[in-house]
Amino acid sequence: MRVGIGYDVHRFEAGRSLVLGGVVVPGADGLSGHSDADVLTHSLIDALFGAVAAGDIGDHFPDTDPELEGISSLELLSRTLRTVRAKGYDVVNADISLVLDAPKLGQLKVKMAETLAETLGVDSSLVSVKATTSEGLLSAEMADAAAAKAVVLLKRIGGRDPDGF
Ligand code: MG
């Protein structure tokens, strides 16, 4: 088994769509970024790369690459999964926490988890999306941003792990 952790933060930017876990959140400002700035999916991608010790999202998908401008982060997640599988691992489960003061996400969190699970090729019961507010305790700079932390567990495809687990 392998475990990985991911963290990301993006600033809000007027005039963009807010995309979280591949789901468009209506009526809210979006996040600033080279791709669709899906902070939730980015944290999951970093957790996946971390679990197989394959660098980070910036190594694989640099924000200087014009081909990646405006790209869906679900596409980046699919490419990341291909790397994980090429290294001989598959996803067991993932747990992601968002930190943002607004908007409230309600049942959209379930849709995000389902969307990510579908992209990862696992049952939706194996992906968790949670959200919390900062309760005004974040710095003034962070109050205008959204952050996400992800933890993912991988298993060796076909059973035995070369590390002996
Ligand atoms: Mg990011």
Side-chain angles (χ1 to χ4, degrees):
M1 309 289 264
R2 294 285 192 95
V3 68
I5 185 171
Y7 174 75
D8 196 23
V9 57
H10 282 254
R11 186 186 301 275
F12 280 103
E13 180 182 323
R16 287 174 59 97
S17 293
L18 179 59
V19 183
L20 296 171
V23 175
V24 175
V25 180
D29 285 342
L31 296 167
S32 175
H34 186 62
S35 64
D36 62 3
D38 183 342
V39 66
L40 193 157
T41 302
H42 289 185
S43 71
L44 177 58
I45 288 170
D46 245 5
L48 287 163
F49 282 133
V52 292
D56 60 37
I57 189 171
D59 295 331
H60 293 266
F61 310 119
D63 63 9
T64 51
D65 184 346
E67 191 252 330
L68 301 177
E69 189 170 356
I71 195 170
S72 165
S73 295
L74 290 183
E75 170 59 25
L76 301 182
L77 180 61
S78 289
R79 296 183 192 182
T80 303
L81 186 64
R82 286 204 287 275
T83 297
V84 166
R85 287 180 171 159
K87 287 180 174 292
Y89 289 89
D90 212 345
V91 175
V92 176
N93 77 303
D95 186 18
I96 314 162
S97 280
L98 269 167
V99 184
L100 78 173
D101 286 340
K104 296 292 183 208
L105 299 176
Q107 286 304 302
L108 283 176
K109 288 180 289 185
V110 176
K111 189 162 170 29
M112 292 169 194
E114 288 172 352
T115 301
L116 294 172
E118 188 178 342
T119 304
L120 292 174
V122 301
D123 190 83
S124 60
S125 66
L126 298 171
V127 177
S128 159
V129 172
K130 314 188 300 296
T132 184
T133 71
S134 75
E135 298 194 355
L137 295 175
L138 295 178
S139 68
E141 193 170 77
M142 277 295 292
D144 195 30
K149 297 178 183 179
V151 172
V152 67
L153 184 68
L154 306 181
K155 64 184 174 192
R156 184 76 181 167
I157 295 170
R160 198 166 169 78
D161 193 296
D163 300 331
F165 294 102

